Amino acid sequence: MLTAEEIDRHARHIMLKEIGGPGVQKLKAATVSLVGAGALGGPCAMYLAAAGIGGLEIWDDDVVERSNLQRQVQFNESDLGRSKAQSLSDTLIAMNASLDVRVRPDRWNGEDLAGGLLIDATDNYDTRFALNRTAIASKRPLVHGAAAGWTGQVSTFARGVDQNAPCYNCWVPEIPPDAEACDEVGVVGPVTGLVSCMMALEVIKLVTGAGTPLIGRLLLVDGLGGGARTLNLRRDAACRSCG
């Protein structure tokens, strides 16, 4: 049941017919595993904490550097040199003291993930592929986001819970030969903010059952041109992960 304080805190969500009190209760009961506490994972986690998500597992082995502050708005100057996972945890608990946070200041290497829903906020293709395999094997949805330069992308890969849905490998069968990370090409801070907010929105929709998640679809954000478009993704019958 929701306490009087929780009803007051989440009043604007309760007013929405697509969420309401039952949706807020579902968020309170939900757990999420987040891999990556940087420009995408940090703001995404902040919105989920604000929305009343019940439990959050944070994986990240990195420490806060000055170059992170341009876009990783969950950190400030006083966090320099600190563990990103621990610093983000402190920020989230300050926002929502009832949040159950499990800090894993390590690089995720395929270990079991505690959350009922998975979030890929990494910038590494090998980790993305491994998370995709884990999501399929454990029958959990995987919310994915990425950003570089002026562009970003968001999708939900739910092959583990929907036999007709494509997985990440259906769309990206192998590491692209021209793949570049944001530390090689740069990235505009607000673009990572847009992507991280859409990732949090995907989690909220998946947990509450509101709206239509981006399952089988890829949202592309063009920060330079000020537009967005959605691509339909198809299952690959020869996919190495789910074919």
Side-chain angles (χ1 to χ4, degrees):
M1 298 295 293
L2 298 177
T3 65
E5 291 78 8
E6 288 170 331
I7 291 173
D8 186 32
R9 178 187 182 96
H10 302 296
R12 298 302 186 275
H13 274 168
I14 293 172
M15 293 169 64
L16 297 172
K17 68 180 187 301
E18 296 87 356
I19 298 180
V24 172
Q25 289 177 314
K26 290 178 181 178
L27 287 166
K28 182 179 178 179
T31 58
V32 175
S33 286
L34 169 72
V35 181
L40 301 180
C44 175
M46 291 171 70
Y47 269 102
L48 292 178
I53 203 79
L56 185 62
E57 179 183 37
I58 305 171
W59 286 82
D60 199 305
D61 68 339
D62 205 358
V63 298
V64 181
E65 299 177 356
R66 195 173 302 277
S67 62
N68 300 146
L69 303 183
Q70 164 255 7
R71 64 201 178 281
Q72 299 181 24
V73 295
Q74 67 273 29
F75 305 130
N76 55 52
E77 292 276 350
S78 64
D79 293 314
L80 294 177
R82 294 190 65 203
S83 158
K84 285 186 178 181
Q86 186 60 61
S87 179
L88 176 58
S89 173
D90 293 345
T91 297
L92 300 179
I93 292 175
M95 294 174 61
N96 183 359
S98 66
L99 175 65
D100 180 16
V101 183
R102 182 179 182 185
V103 178
R104 301 299 299 265
D106 305 295
R107 178 177 291 273
W108 182 72
N109 59 4
E111 294 181 51
D112 185 39
L113 294 164
L117 193 149
L118 309 181
I119 301 178
D120 166 21
T122 69
D123 59 1
N124 178 285
Y125 278 97
D126 288 334
T127 304
R128 290 171 181 166
F129 292 155
L131 276 170
N132 179 65
R133 293 191 297 270
T134 295
I136 295 170
S138 61
K139 301 185 184 304
R140 288 181 280 186
L142 172 67
V143 175
H144 159 80
W150 293 84
T151 63
Q153 61 194 35
V154 186
S155 187
T156 293
F157 297 99
R159 178 68 172 86
V161 296
D162 182 349
Q163 293 298 307
N164 296 315
C167 78
Y168 181 77
N169 272 137
C170 290
W171 174 52
V172 185
E174 57 186 24
I175 299 177
D178 57 348
E180 295 178 302
C182 69
D183 60 354
E184 299 173 310
V185 299
V187 64
V188 178
V191 169
T192 64
L194 288 170
V195 171
S196 62
C197 286
M198 289 302 301
M199 293 168 70
L201 189 58
E202 283 296 287
V203 174
I204 291 172
K205 290 191 295 182
L206 288 164
V207 171
T208 64
T212 305
L214 290 166
I215 297 174
R217 297 181 296 149
L218 178 76
L219 175 66
L220 296 174
V221 177
D222 176 7
L224 196 58
R229 61 193 179 109
T230 304
L231 304 179
N232 291 323
L233 305 177
R234 295 182 178 179
R235 275 200 60 206
D236 180 1
C239 176
R240 62 176 178 170
S241 292
C242 75

